[in-house]
Each structure stands twice: as C-alpha cells, then as structure tokens.
Coordinates of all heavy atoms in Angstrom, one line a residue:
M261 N -39.3 -133.4 9.2 CA -39.6 -132.0 9.1 C -39.9 -131.4 10.4 O -40.6 -132.0 11.2 CB -40.8 -131.7 8.1 CG -41.1 -130.3 7.8 SD -42.4 -130.2 6.6 CE -42.0 -128.6 6.0
T262 N -39.4 -130.2 10.7 CA -39.6 -129.6 12.0 C -40.4 -128.3 11.7 O -40.4 -127.7 10.7 CB -38.3 -129.2 12.7 OG1 -37.5 -128.4 11.8 CG2 -37.5 -130.5 12.9
I263 N -41.0 -127.9 12.8 CA -41.8 -126.7 12.8 C -41.3 -125.8 13.9 O -41.0 -126.3 15.0 CB -43.3 -126.9 12.9 CG1 -44.1 -125.6 12.7 CG2 -43.7 -127.6 14.2 CD1 -45.6 -125.8 12.5
S264 N -41.0 -124.5 13.6 CA -40.4 -123.7 14.6 C -41.5 -123.0 15.5 O -42.6 -123.0 15.2 CB -39.6 -122.6 13.9 OG -40.4 -121.7 13.2
R265 N -41.0 -122.5 16.6 CA -41.8 -121.7 17.5 C -42.4 -120.5 16.8 O -43.6 -120.2 17.1 CB -41.0 -121.3 18.7 CG -41.7 -120.7 19.8 CD -40.7 -120.4 21.0 NE -41.5 -120.0 22.2 CZ -41.9 -120.9 23.1 NH1 -41.8 -122.2 22.9 NH2 -42.6 -120.5 24.1
E266 N -41.7 -119.9 16.0 CA -42.2 -118.7 15.3 C -43.3 -119.1 14.3 O -44.3 -118.3 14.1 CB -41.0 -118.0 14.5 CG -40.0 -117.4 15.4 CD -39.0 -118.4 15.9 OE1 -38.8 -119.5 15.3 OE2 -38.4 -118.1 16.9
D267 N -43.2 -120.3 13.7 CA -44.2 -120.7 12.8 C -45.5 -121.0 13.5 O -46.6 -120.6 13.1 CB -43.8 -122.0 12.1 CG -42.7 -121.8 11.1 OD1 -42.6 -120.7 10.6 OD2 -41.9 -122.8 10.8
I268 N -45.4 -121.6 14.7 CA -46.6 -121.8 15.5 C -47.3 -120.5 15.9 O -48.5 -120.3 15.9 CB -46.3 -122.7 16.7 CG1 -45.9 -124.1 16.2 CG2 -47.5 -122.8 17.7 CD1 -45.4 -125.0 17.3
E269 N -46.5 -119.6 16.4 CA -47.0 -118.3 16.8 C -47.6 -117.5 15.6 O -48.6 -116.9 15.8 CB -45.9 -117.4 17.4 CG -45.4 -118.0 18.8 CD -44.2 -117.3 19.3 OE1 -43.6 -116.5 18.6 OE2 -43.9 -117.6 20.5
K270 N -47.0 -117.6 14.4 CA -47.5 -117.0 13.2 C -48.9 -117.6 12.8 O -49.8 -116.9 12.5 CB -46.5 -117.1 12.1 CG -46.9 -116.4 10.8 CD -45.8 -116.5 9.8 CE -46.2 -115.8 8.5 NZ -45.1 -115.9 7.5
V271 N -49.0 -118.9 12.9 CA -50.2 -119.6 12.6 C -51.3 -119.2 13.6 O -52.5 -119.0 13.2 CB -50.0 -121.1 12.5 CG1 -51.4 -121.8 12.4 CG2 -49.2 -121.4 11.3
A272 N -50.9 -119.1 14.8 CA -51.9 -118.8 15.9 C -52.4 -117.4 15.7 O -53.6 -117.1 15.8 CB -51.2 -118.8 17.3
V273 N -51.6 -116.4 15.2 CA -52.1 -115.1 14.9 C -53.0 -115.1 13.7 O -54.1 -114.5 13.7 CB -50.9 -114.2 14.6 CG1 -51.3 -112.8 14.1 CG2 -50.1 -113.9 15.9
L274 N -52.6 -115.9 12.7 CA -53.5 -116.0 11.5 C -54.8 -116.6 11.8 O -55.8 -116.2 11.2 CB -52.7 -116.7 10.4 CG -51.5 -116.0 9.8 CD1 -50.8 -117.0 8.8 CD2 -51.9 -114.8 9.1
A275 N -54.8 -117.6 12.7 CA -56.0 -118.3 13.0 C -56.8 -117.6 14.1 O -57.9 -117.9 14.5 CB -55.7 -119.7 13.5
R276 N -56.2 -116.5 14.6 CA -56.8 -115.7 15.7 C -57.1 -116.5 16.9 O -58.2 -116.4 17.5 CB -58.0 -115.0 15.1 CG -57.6 -114.0 14.1 CD -58.8 -113.3 13.5 NE -58.3 -112.4 12.4 CZ -58.9 -111.3 12.0 NH1 -60.0 -111.0 12.6 NH2 -58.4 -110.7 11.0
I277 N -56.2 -117.3 17.3 CA -56.3 -118.1 18.6 C -55.2 -117.7 19.5 O -54.1 -117.3 19.1 CB -56.3 -119.6 18.3 CG1 -55.0 -120.1 17.6 CG2 -57.5 -120.0 17.5 CD1 -54.9 -121.5 17.5
Q278 N -55.4 -117.8 20.8 CA -54.4 -117.4 21.8 C -53.7 -118.7 22.2 O -54.4 -119.7 22.6 CB -55.1 -116.8 23.0 CG -54.1 -116.3 24.0 CD -54.8 -115.7 25.2 OE1 -56.0 -115.4 25.2 NE2 -54.0 -115.3 26.2
V279 N -52.4 -118.7 22.1 CA -51.6 -119.9 22.5 C -50.6 -119.4 23.6 O -49.8 -118.5 23.3 CB -50.9 -120.5 21.3 CG1 -50.1 -121.7 21.7 CG2 -51.9 -120.8 20.2
D280 N -50.7 -120.1 24.7 CA -49.7 -119.7 25.8 C -48.3 -120.3 25.5 O -48.2 -121.2 24.6 CB -50.2 -120.3 27.1 CG -51.5 -119.7 27.5 OD1 -51.8 -118.5 27.2 OD2 -52.3 -120.4 28.2
D281 N -47.3 -119.9 26.2 CA -46.0 -120.3 26.0 C -45.8 -121.8 26.2 O -45.1 -122.5 25.5 CB -45.0 -119.5 26.9 CG -44.8 -118.1 26.4 OD1 -45.1 -117.8 25.2 OD2 -44.4 -117.3 27.2
D282 N -46.5 -122.3 27.3 CA -46.4 -123.8 27.5 C -47.1 -124.6 26.5 O -46.7 -125.7 26.1 CB -46.9 -124.1 28.9 CG -48.3 -123.6 29.2 OD1 -48.7 -122.6 28.5 OD2 -49.0 -124.2 30.0
Q283 N -48.1 -124.0 25.9 CA -48.9 -124.7 24.8 C -48.0 -124.7 23.5 O -48.1 -125.6 22.7 CB -50.2 -124.0 24.5 CG -51.2 -124.2 25.6 CD -52.5 -123.4 25.3 OE1 -52.5 -122.4 24.8 NE2 -53.6 -124.0 25.7
V284 N -47.2 -123.7 23.3 CA -46.4 -123.6 22.1 C -45.4 -124.7 22.1 O -45.2 -125.4 21.0 CB -45.7 -122.2 22.0 CG1 -44.7 -122.2 20.9 CG2 -46.7 -121.1 21.8
S285 N -44.8 -125.0 23.2 CA -43.8 -126.1 23.2 C -44.5 -127.5 23.0 O -43.9 -128.3 22.3 CB -43.0 -126.1 24.5 OG -43.9 -126.2 25.6
A286 N -45.6 -127.6 23.6 CA -46.4 -128.9 23.3 C -46.8 -129.0 21.9 O -46.7 -130.1 21.3 CB -47.6 -129.0 24.3
L287 N -47.3 -127.9 21.3 CA -47.7 -127.9 19.9 C -46.5 -128.1 19.0 O -46.6 -128.8 18.0 CB -48.4 -126.6 19.6 CG -49.8 -126.4 20.0 CD1 -50.3 -125.0 19.8 CD2 -50.7 -127.4 19.3
E288 N -45.4 -127.6 19.3 CA -44.2 -127.8 18.5 C -43.8 -129.3 18.4 O -43.5 -129.8 17.4 CB -43.0 -127.0 19.1 CG -41.8 -126.9 18.3 CD -40.7 -126.0 18.9 OE1 -41.0 -125.4 20.0 OE2 -39.7 -125.9 18.3
K289 N -43.9 -129.9 19.6 CA -43.6 -131.4 19.6 C -44.7 -132.2 18.8 O -44.4 -133.0 18.0 CB -43.6 -131.9 21.0 CG -43.3 -133.3 21.2 CD -43.4 -133.8 22.6 CE -43.4 -135.3 22.7 NZ -43.8 -135.8 24.0
D290 N -46.0 -131.9 19.1 CA -47.1 -132.6 18.4 C -47.1 -132.4 16.9 O -47.2 -133.3 16.2 CB -48.4 -132.2 19.1 CG -48.6 -132.7 20.5 OD1 -47.8 -133.6 20.9 OD2 -49.4 -132.2 21.2
L291 N -47.0 -131.1 16.5 CA -47.0 -130.9 15.1 C -45.8 -131.4 14.4 O -45.8 -131.9 13.2 CB -47.1 -129.4 14.8 CG -48.4 -128.7 15.2 CD1 -48.4 -127.2 15.1 CD2 -49.6 -129.3 14.4
G292 N -44.7 -131.5 15.1 CA -43.5 -132.1 14.5 C -43.7 -133.6 14.3 O -43.3 -134.1 13.3
N293 N -44.3 -134.2 15.2 CA -44.7 -135.7 15.1 C -45.6 -135.9 13.9 O -45.5 -136.8 13.1 CB -45.3 -136.2 16.3 CG -44.3 -136.3 17.5 OD1 -43.1 -136.4 17.2 ND2 -44.8 -136.4 18.7
I294 N -46.6 -135.0 13.8 CA -47.5 -135.1 12.6 C -46.8 -135.0 11.3 O -47.0 -135.7 10.4 CB -48.7 -134.1 12.8 CG1 -49.6 -134.5 14.0 CG2 -49.5 -134.0 11.5 CD1 -50.6 -133.5 14.4
L295 N -45.9 -134.0 11.2 CA -45.2 -133.7 10.0 C -44.2 -134.8 9.7 O -44.0 -135.2 8.5 CB -44.5 -132.4 10.1 CG -45.4 -131.1 10.1 CD1 -44.6 -129.9 10.3 CD2 -46.2 -131.1 8.8
D296 N -43.7 -135.5 10.7 CA -42.8 -136.7 10.5 C -43.6 -137.8 9.9 O -43.2 -138.5 9.0 CB -42.1 -137.1 11.8 CG -41.1 -136.1 12.2 OD1 -40.6 -135.3 11.4 OD2 -40.7 -136.1 13.4
L297 N -44.8 -138.0 10.4 CA -45.7 -139.0 9.9 C -46.1 -138.7 8.4 O -46.1 -139.6 7.6 CB -47.0 -139.1 10.7 CG -48.0 -140.2 10.3 CD1 -47.4 -141.6 10.3 CD2 -49.2 -140.1 11.1
V298 N -46.3 -137.5 8.1 CA -46.7 -137.1 6.7 C -45.4 -137.4 5.8 O -45.6 -137.9 4.7 CB -47.1 -135.6 6.6 CG1 -47.2 -135.2 5.2 CG2 -48.4 -135.4 7.3
D299 N -44.2 -137.1 6.3 CA -43.0 -137.4 5.5 C -42.9 -138.9 5.3 O -42.5 -139.3 4.2 CB -41.8 -136.9 6.2 CG -41.7 -135.4 6.2 OD1 -42.3 -134.8 5.3 OD2 -40.9 -134.8 7.0
Q300 N -43.2 -139.7 6.3 CA -43.2 -141.2 6.1 C -44.2 -141.6 5.0 O -43.9 -142.5 4.2 CB -43.5 -141.9 7.4 CG -42.4 -141.8 8.4 CD -42.7 -142.5 9.7 OE1 -43.8 -143.2 9.8 NE2 -41.9 -142.3 10.8
L301 N -45.4 -141.1 5.1 CA -46.4 -141.4 4.1 C -46.0 -141.0 2.7 O -46.2 -141.7 1.7 CB -47.7 -140.8 4.4 CG -48.4 -141.4 5.7 CD1 -49.7 -140.6 6.0 CD2 -48.8 -142.8 5.4
A302 N -45.3 -139.8 2.6 CA -44.9 -139.3 1.3 C -43.8 -140.2 0.7 O -43.6 -140.2 -0.5 CB -44.5 -137.9 1.4
A303 N -43.0 -140.8 1.6 CA -41.9 -141.6 1.1 C -42.3 -143.0 0.6 O -41.5 -143.7 0.0 CB -40.8 -141.8 2.3
A304 N -43.5 -143.4 0.9 CA -44.0 -144.7 0.5 C -44.1 -144.7 -1.1 O -44.5 -143.8 -1.7 CB -45.4 -145.0 1.1
D305 N -43.7 -145.9 -1.6 CA -43.7 -146.1 -3.1 C -45.1 -146.5 -3.5 O -45.6 -147.5 -3.2 CB -42.7 -147.2 -3.5 CG -42.7 -147.4 -5.0 OD1 -43.1 -146.4 -5.7 OD2 -42.3 -148.5 -5.4
T306 N -45.8 -145.6 -4.2 CA -47.2 -145.8 -4.6 C -47.3 -145.9 -6.1 O -48.4 -145.8 -6.7 CB -48.1 -144.7 -4.1 OG1 -47.7 -143.5 -4.6 CG2 -48.2 -144.7 -2.6
D307 N -46.2 -146.1 -6.8 CA -46.3 -146.1 -8.3 C -47.1 -147.3 -8.8 O -47.8 -147.1 -9.8 CB -44.9 -146.1 -8.9 CG -44.1 -144.8 -8.6 OD1 -44.8 -143.8 -8.4 OD2 -42.9 -144.9 -8.6
A308 N -47.0 -148.4 -8.2 CA -47.7 -149.6 -8.7 C -49.1 -149.8 -8.1 O -49.8 -150.7 -8.4 CB -46.9 -150.9 -8.4
V309 N -49.5 -148.8 -7.3 CA -50.8 -148.9 -6.7 C -51.9 -148.2 -7.5 O -51.7 -147.1 -7.9 CB -50.8 -148.2 -5.3 CG1 -52.2 -148.3 -4.6 CG2 -49.8 -148.9 -4.4
E310 N -52.9 -149.0 -7.9 CA -54.0 -148.4 -8.7 C -54.9 -147.6 -7.8 O -55.4 -148.1 -6.8 CB -54.7 -149.6 -9.4 CG -55.8 -149.1 -10.3 CD -56.5 -150.3 -10.9 OE1 -55.9 -151.4 -11.1 OE2 -57.7 -150.2 -11.2
P311 N -55.3 -146.4 -8.3 CA -56.2 -145.6 -7.5 C -57.6 -146.3 -7.4 O -58.0 -147.0 -8.4 CB -56.3 -144.3 -8.3 CG -55.2 -144.3 -9.2 CD -54.8 -145.7 -9.5
M312 N -58.3 -146.1 -6.3 CA -59.6 -146.7 -6.2 C -60.6 -145.8 -5.6 O -60.2 -144.8 -4.9 CB -59.4 -148.0 -5.3 CG -58.9 -147.7 -3.9 SD -58.8 -149.3 -3.0 CE -57.3 -149.0 -2.1
A313 N -61.8 -146.0 -5.9 CA -62.9 -145.2 -5.4 C -63.3 -145.6 -4.0 O -63.9 -144.8 -3.2 CB -64.1 -145.2 -6.3
H314 N -63.1 -146.8 -3.6 CA -63.6 -147.3 -2.4 C -62.6 -148.4 -1.9 O -62.1 -149.2 -2.7 CB -65.0 -148.0 -2.5 CG -65.6 -148.2 -1.2 ND1 -65.4 -149.3 -0.4 CD2 -66.5 -147.4 -0.5 CE1 -66.1 -149.2 0.7 NE2 -66.8 -148.1 0.7
P315 N -62.2 -148.4 -0.6 CA -61.2 -149.4 -0.1 C -61.6 -150.8 -0.2 O -60.8 -151.7 -0.1 CB -60.9 -148.9 1.3 CG -62.1 -148.2 1.7 CD -62.7 -147.6 0.5
L316 N -62.9 -151.1 -0.3 CA -63.4 -152.5 -0.3 C -64.0 -152.8 -1.7 O -64.6 -151.9 -2.3 CB -64.5 -152.7 0.7 CG -64.1 -152.4 2.2 CD1 -65.3 -152.5 3.1 CD2 -63.0 -153.2 2.7
D317 N -63.8 -154.0 -2.1 CA -64.3 -154.4 -3.4 C -65.7 -155.0 -3.2 O -66.0 -156.1 -3.7 CB -63.4 -155.5 -4.1 CG -62.1 -154.9 -4.5 OD1 -62.1 -153.7 -4.8 OD2 -61.1 -155.6 -4.6
A318 N -66.5 -154.2 -2.6 CA -67.9 -154.7 -2.3 C -68.8 -154.2 -3.4 O -68.7 -153.1 -3.9 CB -68.4 -154.2 -0.9
V319 N -69.8 -155.0 -3.7 CA -70.8 -154.7 -4.7 C -72.1 -154.6 -3.9 O -72.5 -155.4 -3.1 CB -70.9 -155.8 -5.8 CG1 -72.0 -155.4 -6.7 CG2 -69.6 -155.9 -6.5
Q320 N -72.8 -153.5 -4.2 CA -74.1 -153.3 -3.5 C -75.2 -154.2 -4.0 O -75.4 -154.3 -5.2 CB -74.5 -151.8 -3.6 CG -75.8 -151.5 -2.9 CD -76.1 -150.1 -3.0 OE1 -75.5 -149.3 -3.7 NE2 -77.2 -149.6 -2.3
R321 N -75.8 -155.0 -3.1 CA -76.9 -155.8 -3.6 C -78.1 -155.0 -3.8 O -78.5 -154.2 -2.9 CB -77.1 -156.9 -2.5 CG -75.9 -157.8 -2.3 CD -76.3 -158.9 -1.3 NE -76.7 -158.3 0.0 CZ -77.4 -159.0 0.9 NH1 -77.7 -160.3 0.7 NH2 -77.8 -158.4 2.0
L322 N -78.7 -155.2 -4.9 CA -79.9 -154.5 -5.3 C -81.1 -155.4 -5.3 O -81.0 -156.6 -5.8 CB -79.8 -153.8 -6.6 CG -78.6 -152.7 -6.7 CD1 -78.5 -152.2 -8.1 CD2 -78.8 -151.6 -5.7
R323 N -82.2 -155.0 -4.9 CA -83.4 -155.8 -4.9 C -84.1 -155.6 -6.3 O -83.9 -154.5 -6.9 CB -84.4 -155.5 -3.8 CG -84.9 -154.1 -3.8 CD -85.9 -154.0 -2.6 NE -86.3 -152.6 -2.5 CZ -87.2 -152.0 -3.2 NH1 -87.8 -152.6 -4.2 NH2 -87.5 -150.7 -3.0
A324 N -84.9 -156.5 -6.7 CA -85.7 -156.3 -7.9 C -86.6 -155.2 -7.8 O -87.2 -155.0 -6.7 CB -86.4 -157.6 -8.2
D325 N -86.8 -154.4 -8.8 CA -87.7 -153.2 -8.8 C -89.1 -153.7 -9.2 O -89.5 -153.7 -10.3 CB -87.2 -152.2 -9.8 CG -88.0 -150.9 -9.7 OD1 -88.7 -150.7 -8.6 OD2 -87.9 -150.1 -10.6
E326 N -89.8 -154.2 -8.1 CA -91.1 -154.8 -8.3 C -92.1 -154.0 -7.4 O -91.8 -153.6 -6.3 CB -91.2 -156.2 -7.9 CG -90.3 -157.1 -8.8 CD -90.2 -158.5 -8.3 OE1 -90.7 -158.8 -7.2 OE2 -89.5 -159.3 -8.9
V327 N -93.4 -153.9 -7.9 CA -94.4 -153.3 -7.1 C -94.8 -154.3 -6.0 O -95.1 -155.4 -6.3 CB -95.6 -152.9 -8.0 CG1 -96.8 -152.3 -7.1 CG2 -95.2 -151.9 -9.1
T328 N -94.8 -153.8 -4.8 CA -95.1 -154.7 -3.7 C -96.4 -154.2 -3.0 O -96.9 -155.0 -2.1 CB -94.0 -154.7 -2.6 OG1 -93.7 -153.4 -2.2 CG2 -92.7 -155.3 -3.2
E329 N -97.0 -153.1 -3.3 CA -98.2 -152.6 -2.7 C -99.2 -152.3 -3.8 O -98.9 -152.0 -4.9 CB -97.9 -151.3 -1.9 CG -97.0 -151.5 -0.7 CD -96.8 -150.2 0.1 OE1 -97.4 -149.2 -0.2 OE2 -95.9 -150.3 1.0
T330 N -100.5 -152.4 -3.4 CA -101.5 -152.1 -4.3 C -101.8 -150.6 -4.4 O -101.4 -149.9 -3.5 CB -102.8 -152.8 -3.9 OG1 -103.2 -152.4 -2.6 CG2 -102.7 -154.3 -3.9
N331 N -102.4 -150.2 -5.5 CA -102.7 -148.8 -5.7 C -103.9 -148.4 -4.8 O -105.0 -148.9 -5.0 CB -103.0 -148.5 -7.2 CG -103.2 -147.0 -7.5 OD1 -103.1 -146.2 -6.6 ND2 -103.5 -146.7 -8.7
Q332 N -103.7 -147.5 -3.9 CA -104.7 -147.1 -3.0 C -105.0 -145.6 -3.1 O -105.5 -144.9 -2.2 CB -104.3 -147.4 -1.5 CG -104.0 -148.8 -1.3 CD -103.6 -149.0 0.2 OE1 -103.7 -148.1 1.0 NE2 -103.1 -150.2 0.5
R333 N -104.9 -145.1 -4.4 CA -105.0 -143.7 -4.6 C -106.5 -143.2 -4.3 O -106.7 -142.2 -3.6 CB -104.7 -143.4 -6.1 CG -104.9 -141.9 -6.4 CD -104.5 -141.7 -7.9 NE -104.6 -140.3 -8.2 CZ -104.2 -139.8 -9.3 NH1 -103.7 -140.6 -10.2 NH2 -104.4 -138.5 -9.6
E334 N -107.5 -143.9 -4.7 CA -108.8 -143.5 -4.4 C -109.2 -143.5 -3.0 O -109.8 -142.6 -2.4 CB -109.8 -144.5 -5.2 CG -109.9 -144.2 -6.7 CD -108.8 -144.8 -7.5 OE1 -108.1 -145.7 -6.9 OE2 -108.5 -144.4 -8.6
A335 N -108.6 -144.5 -2.2 CA -108.9 -144.6 -0.8 C -108.2 -143.4 -0.1 O -108.8 -142.8 0.8 CB -108.3 -145.9 -0.2
F336 N -107.0 -143.0 -0.5 CA -106.3 -141.9 0.1 C -107.0 -140.5 -0.2 O -107.1 -139.6 0.6 CB -104.9 -141.8 -0.3 CG -104.1 -142.9 0.3 CD1 -103.1 -143.6 -0.4 CD2 -104.3 -143.4 1.6 CE1 -102.3 -144.6 0.2 CE2 -103.5 -144.4 2.2 CZ -102.5 -145.0 1.4
Q337 N -107.5 -140.4 -1.5 CA -108.1 -139.2 -1.9 C -109.5 -139.1 -1.3 O -110.0 -138.0 -1.1 CB -108.2 -139.1 -3.4 CG -106.8 -138.8 -4.0 CD -106.8 -138.3 -5.4 OE1 -107.8 -138.3 -6.1 NE2 -105.7 -137.8 -5.8
A338 N -110.1 -140.2 -0.9 CA -111.4 -140.1 -0.3 C -111.4 -139.5 1.1 O -112.3 -138.9 1.5 CB -112.0 -141.5 -0.2
I339 N -110.3 -139.7 1.8 CA -110.2 -139.1 3.1 C -109.4 -137.8 3.1 O -109.3 -137.2 4.2 CB -109.4 -140.1 4.1 CG1 -108.0 -140.4 3.6 CG2 -110.2 -141.4 4.2 CD1 -107.2 -141.3 4.5
A340 N -109.0 -137.3 2.0 CA -108.3 -136.0 1.9 C -109.3 -134.9 2.0 O -110.5 -135.0 1.6 CB -107.5 -135.9 0.6
P341 N -108.9 -133.8 2.6 CA -109.9 -132.6 2.8 C -110.4 -132.1 1.4 O -111.5 -131.8 1.3 CB -109.0 -131.6 3.5 CG -107.9 -132.3 4.1 CD -107.6 -133.5 3.2
S342 N -109.5 -132.0 0.4 CA -109.9 -131.4 -0.8 C -109.1 -132.0 -2.0 O -107.9 -132.0 -2.0 CB -109.8 -129.9 -0.8 OG -110.2 -129.3 -2.0
T343 N -109.8 -132.5 -3.0 CA -109.1 -133.0 -4.2 C -109.9 -132.5 -5.5 O -111.0 -132.2 -5.4 CB -109.1 -134.6 -4.2 OG1 -110.4 -135.0 -4.2 CG2 -108.3 -135.1 -3.1
E344 N -109.2 -132.5 -6.6 CA -109.8 -132.1 -7.9 C -109.0 -132.8 -9.0 O -107.8 -132.7 -9.1 CB -109.8 -130.6 -8.0 CG -110.4 -130.1 -9.3 CD -110.4 -128.6 -9.4 OE1 -110.8 -128.0 -8.4 OE2 -109.9 -128.1 -10.4
D345 N -109.7 -133.6 -9.8 CA -109.1 -134.3 -11.0 C -107.9 -135.1 -10.5 O -106.9 -135.2 -11.2 CB -108.6 -133.2 -12.0 CG -109.8 -132.5 -12.6 OD1 -110.9 -133.1 -12.8 OD2 -109.6 -131.3 -13.0
G346 N -108.0 -135.8 -9.4 CA -107.0 -136.7 -8.9 C -105.8 -136.0 -8.3 O -104.8 -136.7 -7.9
L347 N -105.9 -134.7 -8.0 CA -104.8 -134.0 -7.4 C -105.3 -133.5 -6.0 O -106.5 -133.2 -5.8 CB -104.4 -132.7 -8.2 CG -104.0 -133.0 -9.6 CD1 -103.8 -131.7 -10.4 CD2 -102.7 -133.9 -9.6
Y348 N -104.4 -133.4 -5.1 CA -104.7 -132.9 -3.7 C -104.6 -131.3 -3.8 O -103.7 -130.7 -4.3 CB -103.6 -133.4 -2.7 CG -103.7 -134.8 -2.5 CD1 -102.8 -135.7 -3.2 CD2 -104.6 -135.4 -1.6 CE1 -102.8 -137.0 -3.0 CE2 -104.6 -136.8 -1.4 CZ -103.8 -137.6 -2.1 OH -103.8 -139.0 -2.0
L349 N -105.6 -130.7 -3.3 CA -105.7 -129.2 -3.2 C -105.2 -128.8 -1.8 O -105.7 -129.3 -0.8 CB -107.1 -128.7 -3.5 CG -107.6 -129.1 -4.9 CD1 -109.1 -128.6 -5.0 CD2 -106.8 -128.6 -6.0
V350 N -104.3 -127.8 -1.8 CA -103.8 -127.3 -0.5 C -104.0 -125.8 -0.5 O -104.0 -125.2 -1.6 CB -102.3 -127.7 -0.3 CG1 -102.1 -129.2 -0.2 CG2 -101.5 -127.1 -1.5
P351 N -104.0 -125.2 0.7 CA -104.2 -123.8 0.7 C -102.9 -123.1 0.2 O -101.8 -123.6 0.3 CB -104.3 -123.5 2.2 CG -104.5 -124.8 2.9 CD -104.0 -125.8 2.0
R352 N -103.1 -121.9 -0.4 CA -102.0 -121.1 -1.0 C -101.2 -120.6 0.2 O -101.7 -120.1 1.1 CB -102.6 -119.9 -1.8 CG -101.5 -119.0 -2.3 CD -102.1 -118.0 -3.2 NE -102.0 -118.6 -4.5 CZ -102.4 -118.0 -5.6 NH1 -103.0 -116.8 -5.5 NH2 -102.3 -118.5 -6.8
V353 N -99.9 -120.7 0.0 CA -99.0 -120.3 1.1 C -98.3 -119.0 0.7 O -98.2 -118.1 1.5 CB -97.9 -121.4 1.3 CG1 -96.9 -120.9 2.3 CG2 -98.5 -122.7 1.7
I354 N -98.0 -118.8 -0.6 CA -97.3 -117.6 -1.0 C -98.3 -116.8 -1.9 O -98.9 -117.4 -2.8 CB -96.0 -117.9 -1.8 CG1 -95.1 -118.7 -1.0 CG2 -95.4 -116.7 -2.3 CD1 -93.8 -119.2 -1.7
E355 N -98.4 -115.6 -1.6 CA -99.4 -114.7 -2.3 C -98.7 -114.1 -3.5 O -97.6 -113.8 -3.6 CB -99.8 -113.6 -1.4 CG -100.4 -114.1 -0.1 CD -102.0 -114.0 -0.1 OE1 -102.5 -113.4 -1.0 OE2 -102.5 -114.7 0.8

C-alpha cells in the first residue's frame, strides 16, 4: 500500500502540525514501509491460532493467606492523638 504526498499533507493539516517539503518525502517513504508491514501482517493466516489473553502460559504463584503479624491495635491507639470506641478521631476537613 502506498501513501501519497497529498495524504500526508492532509493528515498534517488535520493534526495541526507543520511538515516541511523535505519531511514530506521522508514521511512518504517511512509511512509506506509501515503500511507494507501492516499488509504483511494482515496476509498472515491466523485461522488456526487461538486467541490468548497473555503471550506466556505463566501461572501466578500465590502465597497462602495467613496472618503473619500480631494484632497491635491497642499499642497503636495508645500513641494516637485521639481515639474513641476503637476509632481514630481526626480533625474535620470539610465543613
């Protein structure tokens, strides 16, 4: 597939970017190469390929859900500025 000079200039206007004449010829070549690559990918036979969510068949190792620390609630609330009924009291932020 090829892309014309007019197409590049039209896209540049739509994207509101300034493209010089020497840049247009370079872009024409580069975008042509990209579109050729896309055509090659589109031509690949993918009928027998099963869609996948991840390219690797890796399984995430999970650790056991076990308590590893002791409950230190009373110790933390003892050093808190203000608590009531096991809750931390904070200053009102929104009136």
Side-chain angles (χ1 to χ4, degrees):
M261 182 176 205
T262 60
I263 188 165
S264 68
R265 184 176 195 86
E266 292 81 23
D267 291 334
I268 293 174
E269 291 171 351
K270 185 177 181 180
V271 169
V273 169
L274 292 173
R276 297 180 184 203
I277 57 174
Q278 182 179 355
V279 180
D280 298 330
D281 289 337
D282 55 335
Q283 291 176 325
V284 170
S285 60
L287 282 171
E288 190 174 358
K289 178 185 171 195
D290 292 342
L291 291 174
N293 290 338
I294 291 170
L295 292 174
D296 289 341
L297 180 62
V298 170
D299 286 341
Q300 289 177 9
L301 291 173
D305 182 25
T306 58
D307 292 336
V309 177
E310 181 179 331
M312 58 181 143
H314 195 276
L316 303 176
D317 290 331
V319 177
Q320 185 177 5
R321 296 183 305 163
L322 300 175
R323 62 176 173 81
D325 190 14
E326 298 173 354
V327 177
T328 57
E329 296 181 8
T330 59
N331 185 1
Q332 299 179 11
R333 180 178 180 172
E334 284 79 20
F336 291 141
Q337 288 198 347
I339 60 174
S342 181
T343 61
E344 182 179 307
D345 296 328
L347 302 174
Y348 295 96
L349 301 177
V350 295
R352 175 174 270 178
V353 178
I354 300 174
E355 305 257 345

